Amino acid sequence: MSALENMSDEEYYQDYDQLPDNQIELLAEFERRRRARTIHVSTDDNEVKANLRKLHEPICLFGEGPAERRERLKSLVSRLTDDEIARKLKKREEQEKREEESQNEVTWYHEGSELMLYGRFWIAEYSLKRAKERVALQKSQSQIPEIDRTAQVQESHRFIRTFANYSSQIGDIRPLSFCRFSPNSKMVAISSWSGLCKLWSVPDCQLIRTLPAHTVNASSIIFHPQSTISLDTKSINLVSTAFDGSVKLWNMENDKPIGELDGMMPSRVSKAEFHPSGRFLACVCHDNSWRLWDVERVEEILHQEGHSRPVMDISFQCDGSICCTGGQDSYGRVWDLRTGRCIMLMEGHLKSILSIDCNSNGYHIATGSEDNTAKIWDLRQSKCIYTIPAHNNLISKVKFQKSEGNYLVTASYDYTLKAWAHPGWTPLKELKGHEQKIMGCDISQDNKWIVSCAYDKTFKFWSQETF
């Protein structure tokens, strides 16, 4: 019998503690090899890979074959204690459980009100008629010889190339935030950071009315689609919004609001926009949502979430069936108003989307971003079809030509306005004149005028040099 066998356990461990470090490491290595010889590893390579994956180890190394992989698994298991192996397996099971739960997540919806249901049916009926008329018009236009259609587009491009600064006017004592032409193209509404909103005549820049709208910065003012055309002057003709979340309703006769929309304070309302029918009003807010109101009943029928950061702009498609929103989360979303679903995610901008606009052809959308680019999206293909490296600073506004949509106008903080051809997206005209960043722009319904407002407290009309 050897001397090692005659030693008691207590004597063995006392001697073990007195061994030098290199001998302790050597004994540990012998013990590991002994454990490795007793470990049985499957010869099935797929099972070996699965076990490596459970232990959070790479399933394959460069130049490694099945035999080397099996030896690596055996060596790895021999180095781990039973507790360490159990922890790794438990961690893997928890991860698989989380992945399974995320896959089982389903979209859920709040139950809407009867008013919202009525609104969805009303919008569906309205938009189907408009879509039918638009498609019929496009079919009739497709019968026109291509050379004639091209000539019409080129004529629009030649027309915008003749634009120059027609007049300029100081709009307020503080920077101007928004501008919008009236539907008859004879007035322009301007909002200011002073809280005032003013109506000016086109093109002589004569002040018509001053609306003491808000006590904080006004963010936008818009006209009803039928205002100045067929709408009664005592009805809601104008809507203004402000940084404090207030939304006020105005007619064309009084200098005091005839109504106010509640429920959005204290979140800033970035902008309001009328549905093409004029029956509904959308407001985009800094609480990461947008709202849809029934103007006739003055009731909110939809509070839509979906963005992860403040929503900056909204635009309705010409049929009225869908709307598009853009936000500071750098995403744009297309919403079907008849079902409430998000039918398209516009992903591609690197920074906030500040402006969005729908073309009159019904399927093109333009977005302007803080990343200095404008992107063109096609609803039919559900993707971005072109990126315009438009400006040297952020793009504050994008606007398609009214009715025809043969060009796009972009406004930027680099003090310029630019017009881009559609299709092709080549530059047509650059308009310079503002001394500070341009906050917004608009195109008149008759396409004869462009208005821009800027941080320099002025607004400018742009038209043909020979007007």
Side-chain angles (χ1 to χ4, degrees):
M1 185 178 292
S2 66
L4 183 61
E5 292 174 343
N6 290 329
M7 293 175 64
S8 65
D9 290 345
E10 183 178 352
E11 291 172 337
Y12 174 80
Y13 285 113
Q14 286 177 353
D15 290 344
Y16 184 85
D17 292 339
Q18 295 172 1
L19 290 174
D21 292 342
N22 60 343
Q23 292 187 22
I24 294 175
E25 294 174 359
L26 187 61
L27 287 173
E29 178 64 20
F30 284 148
E31 178 64 20
R32 187 193 66 76
R33 291 182 181 180
R34 185 188 67 78
R35 287 188 62 196
R37 287 194 296 271
T38 63
I39 294 173
H40 298 286
V41 178
S42 173
T43 56
D44 185 354
D45 192 45
N46 291 329
E47 190 173 342
V48 171
K49 290 180 179 179
N51 289 330
L52 286 170
R53 184 179 287 109
K54 288 180 179 179
L55 296 174
H56 296 277
E57 295 291 330
I59 64 173
C60 186
L61 300 178
F62 180 75
E64 184 182 57
E68 292 86 356
R69 188 159 35 250
R70 185 170 177 270
E71 287 301 319
R72 179 160 64 90
L73 176 61
K74 183 184 291 188
S75 175
L76 178 65
V77 173
S78 68
R79 293 177 187 275
L80 298 174
T81 66
D82 293 340
D83 291 340
E84 290 174 333
I85 293 175
R87 282 197 300 269
K88 283 180 174 287
L89 293 176
K90 185 177 180 181
K91 185 177 180 181
R92 178 66 185 177
E93 290 175 359
E94 291 176 351
Q95 182 178 351
E96 290 177 348
K97 186 177 180 181
R98 286 195 300 268
E99 291 176 355
E100 184 179 356
E101 289 176 352
S102 64
Q103 291 176 356
N104 292 333
E105 288 181 356
V106 295
T107 304
W108 55 274
Y109 300 91
H110 287 293
E111 184 176 354
S113 63
E114 289 293 329
L115 185 59
M116 186 179 72
L117 181 63
Y118 170 77
R120 293 203 190 283
F121 276 108
W122 195 95
I123 290 173
E125 184 177 357
Y126 174 85
S127 62
L128 285 172
K129 292 179 181 178
R130 299 259 298 190
K132 185 177 180 180
E133 294 171 359
R134 175 177 58 85
V135 171
L137 177 62
Q138 290 174 342
K139 285 183 177 180
S140 64
Q141 290 176 343
S142 66
Q143 303 301 317
I144 301 174
E146 184 176 355
I147 188 170
D148 294 335
R149 296 201 305 271
T150 303
Q152 292 175 359
V153 173
Q154 291 176 346
E155 179 60 31
S156 296
H157 295 170
R158 281 194 295 269
F159 180 72
I160 193 66
R161 286 192 182 101
T162 64
F163 272 43
N165 187 10
Y166 180 86
S167 61
S168 180
Q169 177 65 277
I170 297 175
D172 199 53
I173 59 174
R174 294 207 64 195
L176 309 182
S177 57
F178 194 85
C179 54
R180 177 65 62 90
F181 278 108
S182 63
N184 67 356
S185 304
K186 295 182 179 180
M187 285 191 296
V188 64
I190 307 286
S191 64
S192 166
W193 278 8
S194 68
L196 298 177
C197 295
K198 299 181 180 181
L199 302 182
W200 301 82
S201 62
V202 179
D204 52 2
C205 300
Q206 296 296 315
L207 181 62
I208 299 174
R209 288 178 62 197
T210 299
L211 304 176
H214 304 276
T215 56
V216 297
N217 305 28
S219 54
S220 71
I221 181 168
I222 60 169
F223 283 94
H224 187 283
Q226 297 302 318
S227 176
T228 69
I229 297 178
S230 59
L231 189 64
D232 185 0
T233 56
K234 295 181 180 180
S235 301
I236 299 172
N237 281 253
L238 291 157
V239 175
S240 64
T241 64
F243 283 18
D244 61 358
S246 60
V247 179
K248 296 187 178 181
L249 314 176
W250 308 83
N251 62 21
M252 298 298 287
E253 296 183 355
N254 300 326
D255 291 336
K256 293 184 179 181
I258 60 174
E260 187 169 354
L261 304 182
D262 301 321
M264 287 164 282
M265 292 184 179
S267 299
R268 179 192 302 184
V269 178
S270 307
K271 183 193 171 186
E273 190 66 61
F274 273 104
H275 186 265
S277 65
R279 170 74 185 269
F280 303 99
L281 177 75
C283 300
V284 291
C285 309
H286 274 230
D287 62 359
N288 309 346
S289 69
W290 60 275
R291 326 286 181 98
L292 189 67
W293 294 76
D294 187 326
V295 178
E296 290 185 2
R297 300 171 182 255
V298 195
E299 289 187 43
E300 180 184 303
I301 65 171
L302 176 65
H303 181 183
Q304 182 66 61
E305 298 175 336
H307 289 273
S308 60
R309 296 196 66 188
V311 188
M312 299 303 295
D313 200 3
I314 187 169
S315 178
F316 287 96
Q317 187 235 24
C318 56
D319 298 338
S321 58
I322 63 175
C323 70
C324 313
T325 57
Q328 289 186 9
D329 55 4
S330 78
Y331 294 113
R333 290 181 177 271
V334 181
W335 306 88
D336 189 337
L337 297 173
R338 300 161 297 185
T339 64
R341 297 176 182 269
C342 176
I343 60 174
M344 179 178 169
L345 178 66
M346 293 180 281
E347 181 180 7
H349 282 292
L350 303 178
K351 294 184 179 180
S352 305
I353 294 178
L354 303 178
S355 181
I356 193 165
D357 193 37
C358 296
N359 198 343
S360 57
N361 61 17
Y363 50 84
H364 280 157
I365 302 168
T367 54
S369 171
E370 196 177 347
D371 62 11
N372 307 350
T373 67
K375 288 183 180 290
I376 310 300
W377 310 80
D378 194 319
L379 280 173
R380 302 167 300 179
Q381 304 178 51
S382 295
K383 68 176 184 179
C384 175
I385 59 172
Y386 200 85
T387 299
I388 307 173
H391 292 272
N392 298 323
N393 208 328
L394 65 82
I395 298 176
S396 56
K397 200 68 178 176
V398 291
K399 273 291 180 181
F400 277 108
Q401 179 197 20
K402 301 293 176 67
S403 302
E404 298 172 356
N406 290 329
Y407 58 81
L408 174 74
V409 174
T410 58
S412 171
Y413 275 21
D414 64 5
Y415 312 166
T416 64
L417 294 159
K418 292 184 180 180
W420 308 86
H422 173 225
W425 313 110
T426 54
L428 294 174
K429 184 70 175 181
E430 182 177 17
L431 302 173
K432 295 182 177 180
H434 284 289
E435 298 177 356
Q436 293 193 43
K437 50 194 178 185
I438 300 177
M439 307 291 281
C441 69
D442 193 28
I443 303 173
S444 64
Q445 197 65 40
D446 58 11
N447 295 313
K448 294 181 179 179
W449 300 94
I450 295 176
V451 63
S452 59
C453 61
Y455 199 80
D456 59 12
K457 309 179 187 65
T458 67
F459 67 92
K460 299 180 185 295
F461 288 126
W462 312 82
S463 188
Q464 285 180 289
E465 292 179 302
T466 57
F467 191 88

